[in-house]
Amino acid sequence: MHGEWDLCGNELENFSCLIRVWKIILVIPASTKICERGFSKLNRIKSDDRSRLSLDTLDVLMFLSQCT
């Protein structure tokens, strides 16, 4: 990806729109497996038996599950 920046050279101010798009592309995850793992963990924590958990409690439990 550094080659594309070198291609622009010193004329980066002419490519401000391209630079914005490039920055957006660089932060898009290549896959959704991290999100899927989070949802799976959430489903294990908030089962039918624990359906009355408050959002604050669920948030703390999700945080603690990330630490292990």
Side-chain angles (χ1 to χ4, degrees):
M1 293 192 177
H2 293 289
E4 285 76 9
W5 287 113
D6 293 337
L7 179 66
C8 294
N10 294 329
E11 300 180 18
L12 289 178
E13 61 272 0
N14 295 334
F15 296 102
S16 63
C17 184
L18 177 64
I19 291 171
R20 250 185 284 147
V21 171
W22 193 259
K23 287 179 181 180
I24 291 170
I25 289 172
L26 290 177
V27 297
I28 296 174
S31 71
T32 60
K33 67 181 175 182
I34 294 173
C35 294
E36 294 295 329
R37 283 186 200 150
F39 286 127
S40 294
K41 201 171 276 195
L42 179 70
N43 287 334
R44 285 193 299 271
I45 291 172
K46 190 170 183 177
S47 63
D48 290 337
D49 296 333
R50 296 189 195 172
S51 62
R52 293 186 179 180
L53 286 176
S54 70
L55 289 178
D56 291 334
T57 306
L58 186 59
D59 187 39
V60 170
L61 290 172
M62 282 293 291
F63 176 76
L64 290 174
S65 72
Q66 297 295 326
C67 296
T68 59

